[in-house]
Amino acid sequence: MTKKRGNFMPIDGTFELLAGLHDDNQAAMSFLQKPVYNLDEMDRRESMISLVYSGCFCIKSSKHIDPQQPGMVYIDGKATEAPLIEKPTAMFGQLVGIIVRKYLLEYNKEHEVRYAGAYDTDGIEISEFIFKLKTLPRIEPGVKYPEHDAIVLQAAREGAVLLKNNNTLPLSSGSCVNVFGAAAVVFRLGCLGAGKINPRYGIRVKEGIEKYSSLKLNQELYDFYTEERDVFPPGDMVTRAKDLSGTAVVFITRGSSEAHDVPMDKGGYYLTDQERELIRKVTATFGKTVAILNVAHPIETKWIEEYDVDAVLLTGLSGMAGGRALAEILDGTVNPSGKLPNTWAYDYHDYPSAPNFLTKDQIAKKSVGAPIQYATTVYEEGLYVGYRYFDTFQKPAAYLFGHGLSYTTFDTKLKSAAKTDACGTQMDIEVTNTGTRAGKEVVMLYAHFEGGELEQPDKRLVAFAKTKELLPGEAQILCLEVSEKRLKSYSEAEAAWIIEPGRISFLLGGAPNRTTLVWSVDVADKIIVSQVKNRIAPPFPIKELSAKNSNGTYPQGEMTKVYTAEESGGELPFKNSRAAVGGDGDVPIEHTVERLIRFPELVKDPVLVEQFVAQMTDYELARLSIGGQTGWGIEDNGYAGTLFNEEALDKYEIPDYFFADGNNGLNMFEVNIGFPVSTTVCASFNEELSYAEGAAIAREAKDMNLHCLLAPALNLQRNPLCGRHTEYFSEDPFLAGRMAGQESRGFEESGISSCMKHFFANNAETMRNTNHSIMSERTARELYLAAFETAFEVNKPDTVMTGYNAANGAYCSNDEELLRGILREEFGFTGYVMTDWNGYGDEGMAAPLAAGVSWLAPGSPDDTLVTPIEAALKSGDLSRARVQKNLVDLIKVVLKYREA
């Protein structure tokens, strides 16, 4: 079998598909989506095109609009404000962002929207556009799927992290809440992109306080911020507020979206000047100040001490019950129990990954003249991601991984410990509530290695557990188990997972800098946990950060670069073709049954699966390997893709099979469940809760006739600017893997396939289709692949999705050593592999199939993508046996939940 090189260039599938939403007629104005509006969406899908469209309903113009003469929008006959006019894009043309969030305030009401007075860039007035925009009705909490609503609420409660509390929270019962900041009104419940939710209701700040607490909202201040401006109110309003309460509550929010990394500037990672000035004035005016962080990624923290903020509560993006959970925590009826799944530095440049993370602005400065085609991102920080860096190098951080306060106190101690194998252990940990309020506590166990030759972080998480809610004085014993595989390290020299001779100490606590030594074991001789092969070596040696030799090893970012087509020679820089894995029998399956086998027969007799595939022609094999279409059109329901089962495949009676995004809810056009984003759920450190989330989403997915959810996403949070930080779980691979694995198990035990993604090292959204992640093999295996390996220990999913990116010399979707060697041979994966949307790599359409991909997503209803695969099969450049094997894996999963 050979792989034929081609000039195929990957494209951003998400944007391409969204571009197809508009009506292609030549009218001046047309819709991208149906003219309906969900009041509980802070950011609609259009915001993914540009984050400036937050709060807008977008329409498309066939003419370029003069930004100096953008016209005016009238809602129900009343002038509102001019629309947002951004520079036209190649995919979408001219978009018109009609600001509606501030003006549409009632559920289930139809409004007349008139857009008039705009001129195009030729100075010609554009005809006015009038349409009806209807707000959706609201489904009240508990009316539909009440048991699911209860889980959503629990996730919002347990995912909140109390970062700081100087005797300020909870607020006194019945007290007034003086809200400051536009984020009190624009309180986000979820993110954009694949992790987006379309919730059937959204409890935000106002409703949460008024309906679910004893507290009273300062309505005057709240109304002041409906203009969505971060300014300090007039003096008389502030005086009245101080008379009601001496405490102020300031809100900060950030939107987050796939396809957009967080800007490394004000309004992104850093506070805006307006936010900073607002906080300065609030803290100078009020006796106590509480900051509410409605964000899902770390932001700067110096301002907390600079302005002496008394309490800081991280709500995250907390799902459709987020406002209720917030009010209950402020009120004290709920005790916060979340812990940080990532480290919050004082400043962005404190992260060792910062020199090797290309921002959009940095790329723009380098793209003067010829356009940029590729980027390389070198992971010079190596093993030292998140707390592993800050703890090992004793770099001060505002809040380390594992940090989180409570309204009560706990005593945690080791009750007993015993070795379970050569170095594994089992411990019973007793947790006692020693305070005055009921609450839950998280126990974390870290391992410290001494005496070996391999580089090691000072500590790494090896076990965790969470208590039930403990009443004052109540105790619970938690059992923590640590096996050999939790303690293994990868030796590139030996191509093996090993445990070196020396002492392994176990430390109990929360954040790694606040731990206590409780147990240790001595390893006399080296243990070979598993012998493997070096399969994904980098294309050049990486000089990584080293605690053993810190001088001269701190990341400099010299090899992280962008390339024009001329500079790269028209192909991926540092391309490193993998050797074929071989081994699983490239012998075509012979068709021995002399009749047509249809899919319904497989349901009764799954043994026929191989014969079902064997009977297909080259064209039919190629056609089934390519997806059919998406449901993202204006008249569709929002599903992300479907198997092709029509025309030439119709005779096989393959059933409809629908895919949808579903990290924290179903990214469909019909309203449904809406959980907090993944990193907020992960902050709960509650595996049972993550499983319950998966089960609840799956049950609603079945009711929508969906079959596979493109979730969970579990890439590591390497850098806080990554746009998919919200969709991912943690900076720690063990925590991320456990929590993601439980969600996946919840999906599949409830009858819906799970797709773990993005395999692997998809750690930036800027240039994500042409970004090349380069790291040592040890770093790849111990961090970025380890999250998936750990998740598989909980639940081996039905399918895995490859990343858009390349890693260590090859695109993930084209890397046979990755997909067949590591994923199947080492991890024991038996499901099927799909690509990300249009993430087919750079070697032509046949290359992903040759590497072990079963399904190219989303595909196309015509034969544009099918023809080159059929040609490769006929020429022998693509093994028929390989494609048959791929499709057998796919059909087995399609069969999995169907009853005879």
Side-chain angles (χ1 to χ4, degrees), residues 72-127:
M72 176 58 67
V73 174
Y74 302 83
I75 298 179
D76 296 331
K78 181 180 178 181
T80 57
E81 53 192 294
L84 297 176
I85 305 297
E86 289 278 287
K87 182 179 178 181
T89 66
M91 290 184 179
F92 296 90
Q94 179 71 74
L95 294 185
V96 180
I98 297 177
I99 301 168
V100 296
R101 185 169 60 202
K102 294 188 286 185
Y103 305 104
L104 305 188
L105 304 176
E106 296 182 43
Y107 293 97
N108 200 26
K109 182 176 180 180
E110 188 173 77
H111 299 269
E112 181 184 85
V113 180
R114 181 168 69 94
Y115 174 42
Y119 286 78
D120 66 20
T121 51
D122 293 324
I124 300 173
E125 187 172 8
I126 297 173
S127 299

Side-chain angles (χ1 to χ4, degrees), residues 157 159 219 356 378 451 526 693 776 842 897:
R157 288 168 169 170
Q219 187 67 48
N356 289 287
V378 182
K526 180 173 65 178
E693 176 191 14
S776 70
D842 66 341
Y897 306 107

Side-chain angles (χ1 to χ4, degrees), residues 6-11 373-374 570-571 769-770 811 838 841-842:
N7 294 321
F8 184 81
M9 274 298 299
I11 52 179
Q373 186 170 14
Y374 288 103
E571 70 172 13
N769 290 85
T770 55
Y811 271 92
N838 289 330
D842 66 341

Side-chain angles (χ1 to χ4, degrees), residues 90 260 296 337 360 435 446 462 608 721 734-735 774:
H260 297 277
S337 62
K360 189 175 181 179
Y446 297 86
V462 292
L608 293 172
L721 300 188
F734 176 61
L735 174 62
I774 300 176

Side-chain angles (χ1 to χ4, degrees), residues 125-137:
E125 187 172 8
I126 297 173
S127 299
E128 68 177 24
F129 186 58
I130 302 175
F131 62 97
K132 301 291 186 182
L133 182 60
K134 185 175 182 179
T135 58
L136 293 176

Side-chain angles (χ1 to χ4, degrees), residues 296-353:
H297 58 79
I299 62 173
E300 65 158 319
T301 57
K302 288 181 179 178
W303 56 273
I304 296 172
E305 300 305 323
E306 180 182 351
Y307 298 120
D308 197 21
V309 176
D310 298 282
V312 183
L313 177 67
L314 170 65
T315 67
L317 304 184
S318 46
M320 63 189 191
R324 174 175 176 176
L326 167 63
E328 292 170 332
I329 292 171
L330 292 176
D331 195 20
T333 55
V334 167
N335 192 344
S337 62
K339 308 292 181 183
L340 285 179
N342 43 49
T343 296
W344 286 51
Y346 285 110
D347 185 84
Y348 171 71
H349 296 285
D350 291 343
Y351 294 100
S353 62

